Amino acid sequence: MTVQSIVDDAGAVFSAPGDPTVTAALGAFLRRLDSAPRLLGFGEPMHGEESFLQLRNQMFRFLVEHEGYRSIALESSCLKGILVDSFVRGGDRLPLDDVMEHGFSHGFGESPANRDLILWMAEYNRRREPDEQLRFFGFDGPIEMTSADSPRQALTFLDTYLRTHLGEEDLPCTPDRISALIGDDDRWSNPAVAMDPTQAVGATPEAVELRLIADDLMTLLASQAPHLLAEGTRDELWEAELHGRIATRLLSYHAGMAENSPRRIARLLGIRDTLMADNLSALVQREADRGPTFVFAHNGHLLKGETHWDLAGLHLHWWCAGAHLGVRLGDAYAVIGGAVGQAPGHGIGQPPPDTVEGRLFAVGESCLVPAAPVARRTGDVEKRADPSDNSTYFPLEPAGLGELDAILFLRHIDAAGT
């Protein structure tokens, strides 16, 4: 069976983002699954290309209008995302420009497609009752490529929430003690730590004490959950759990930044992806009564196996968020991996014929195809190795196609970011 025959038998071709064939193919893909997913992932092979975000928007609208989806989660800071969620539900009157600037991490607020998504969600919600409104979530930690935030915001939020509902005698320490242990926020987010672990804060006595405090606060939150829920709302408790989860994982991440070992970078990437999986697992539980969630991120976070990355002479590999989700959710998690054939604006030329992308390119159109038969048909091909100007571009791993449920292949992209 050739890739062309796979497309003819179980896939669909389309011309470009906006072609209604894309959503028809998405619906057909969902019907072929053994059970309806509670979490549906769509991955992009690189950051900074609007075509994949435009496809995401188109797919999300279809999922909302035809499949009962009520939430979307993006690879962006979960703490910043609270501002975006408030805006789309009509609860925050900040100008949209401010929401885009302060509600996204990694510079993703500059994306026109992300702006379009937020405007569409806000308009959709304007005509809906609160229980039927769409929700927006970030699921990444407050972590950038070369730095991570101070734990102040997350720890202070959790401590304040507990202090509001419980007695002083229940708390492990005072707010002043937490603030004194954190000290100057800039020392936590120092980008020089990425290359020099000796400048990291995470292994200092103050950081070790903060990790114990964070653990005590989370234990207190869990043990008092029935009382806290009776006194407040489920949303308030969920937000406190989110901040507590961030505080504990963030302190672990800073401890990892202080390590000096060959596995340091891979361990940090693994901590980050585990936090992503924790956030998405919590979302699935939160949204269980409302509908499935659509999640969008880089392929490297969503596939159901190890992510591999060759960086500065190192071969890094770690269990990504999708691998954890596959274990936790089973068939309730499905993922469509994005792939690209030719993208001159990103320095990506026509793919070599003996690669997965090359076989898909030969179909002659963009397409959405099930991954399993493509994996069987392309087991003899090599991983694509032609250069790219986009450092975030990851070609498909031939051996990893089984970690995807489907592939959405864009044959040609005219220009970067458009």
Side-chain angles (χ1 to χ4, degrees):
M1 178 182 285
T2 66
V3 172
Q4 179 66 64
S5 64
I6 294 168
V7 174
D8 294 340
D9 181 54
V13 298
F14 61 94
S15 57
D19 185 336
T21 307
V22 174
T23 51
L26 176 59
F29 159 72
L30 291 173
R31 289 189 292 275
R32 284 195 300 270
L33 296 174
D34 292 336
S35 58
R38 303 301 303 169
L39 185 68
L40 175 63
F42 174 40
E44 58 178 353
M46 57 188 169
H47 291 318
E49 174 47 56
E50 289 286 291
S51 298
F52 287 100
L53 278 69
Q54 292 164 2
L55 278 166
R56 174 207 64 195
N57 291 357
Q58 182 183 359
M59 294 163 70
F60 183 54
R61 289 194 293 270
F62 171 82
L63 293 169
V64 168
E65 294 167 354
H66 299 279
E67 302 292 337
Y69 282 61
R70 289 294 174 267
S71 54
I72 188 168
L74 304 190
E75 182 191 340
S76 182
S77 166
C78 55
L79 300 187
K80 290 179 180 290
I82 294 170
L83 175 64
V84 183
D85 183 57
S86 178
F87 178 86
V88 300
R89 292 191 294 137
D92 198 302
R93 301 302 177 186
L94 282 176
L96 178 59
D97 285 348
D98 290 348
V99 174
M100 301 306 296
E101 179 180 357
H102 300 293
F104 291 85
S105 59
H106 315 324
F108 293 158
E110 299 173 6
S111 161
N114 280 342
R115 177 181 286 260
D116 290 344
L117 172 69
I118 301 315
L119 286 172
W120 181 81
M121 292 179 68
E123 177 58 25
Y124 181 95
N125 285 345
R126 191 176 61 83
R127 306 184 304 275
R128 301 301 192 286
E129 294 298 320
D131 288 347
E132 289 298 314
Q133 289 185 340
L134 305 179
R135 300 293 300 262
F136 175 95
F137 301 100
F139 71 91
D140 199 355
I143 297 168
E144 295 290 348
M145 183 65 181
T146 60
S147 65
D149 281 6
S150 159
R152 184 183 304 279
Q153 178 184 353
L155 266 181
T156 301
F157 185 99
L158 177 59
D159 179 72
T160 301
Y161 172 79
L162 290 169
R163 201 169 292 279
T164 300
H165 296 288
L166 304 175
E168 178 72 31
E169 67 278 6
D170 295 317
L171 278 295
C173 67
T174 66
D176 287 345
R177 179 60 180 166
I178 292 175
S179 182
L181 289 169
I182 293 172
D184 184 359
D185 287 330
D186 288 343
R187 68 191 186 123
W188 294 86
S189 56
N190 176 12
V193 172
M195 302 302 295
D196 182 4
T198 65
Q199 297 191 45
V201 182
T204 61
E206 294 84 359
V208 172
E209 185 173 345
L210 283 169
R211 292 181 75 180
L212 293 174
I213 291 170
D215 184 67
D216 285 345
L217 290 173
M218 283 298 283
T219 300
L220 182 60
L221 181 71
S223 65
Q224 293 295 317
H227 167 73
L228 295 167
L229 189 57
E231 279 218 340
T233 67
R234 189 170 296 277
D235 267 5
E236 290 169 344
L237 177 59
W238 192 89
E239 199 167 324
E241 291 171 340
L242 171 65
H243 281 81
R245 190 162 57 245
I246 294 304
T248 54
R249 292 291 192 198
L250 195 54
L251 286 163
S252 294
Y253 191 90
H254 280 290
M257 293 185 82
E259 291 184 12
N260 189 9
S261 74
R263 285 285 295 160
R264 174 178 179 255
I265 297 176
R267 281 172 55 80
L268 291 173
L269 293 167
I271 292 171
R272 180 188 174 198
D273 267 84
T274 303
L275 173 56
M276 289 180 169
D278 291 343
N279 286 337
L280 288 170
S281 297
L283 274 181
V284 170
Q285 183 176 7
R286 174 187 180 137
E287 293 290 293
D289 295 333
R290 286 178 12 96
T293 297
F294 189 44
V295 57
F296 179 77
H298 196 287
N299 282 338
H301 297 303
L302 296 184
L303 55 86
K304 300 177 185 179
E306 276 193 306
T307 294
H308 294 260
W309 187 17
D310 293 315
L311 175 69
L314 298 174
H315 179 69
L316 307 172
H317 56 95
W318 68 97
W319 295 108
C320 68
H324 295 287
L325 293 165
V327 170
R328 298 176 192 182
L329 301 179
D331 290 344
Y333 175 59
V335 58
I336 301 169
V340 63
Q342 191 175 32
H346 295 278
I348 301 172
Q350 184 171 325
D354 289 329
T355 62
V356 178
E357 288 87 351
R359 300 289 175 85
L360 290 166
F361 192 86
V363 171
E365 303 247 21
S366 297
C367 55
L368 175 63
V369 292
V374 174
R376 290 192 294 269
R377 180 61 188 86
T378 57
D380 58 339
V381 300
E382 299 291 327
K383 179 181 177 180
R384 187 175 187 176
D386 52 325
S388 169
D389 293 340
N390 188 327
S391 62
T392 70
Y393 173 59
F394 283 31
L396 291 172
E397 294 271 0
L401 295 184
E403 298 160 1
L404 300 169
D405 294 289
I407 301 166
L408 193 154
F409 178 71
L410 274 180
R411 188 174 192 271
H412 182 87
I413 295 171
D414 289 329
T418 61

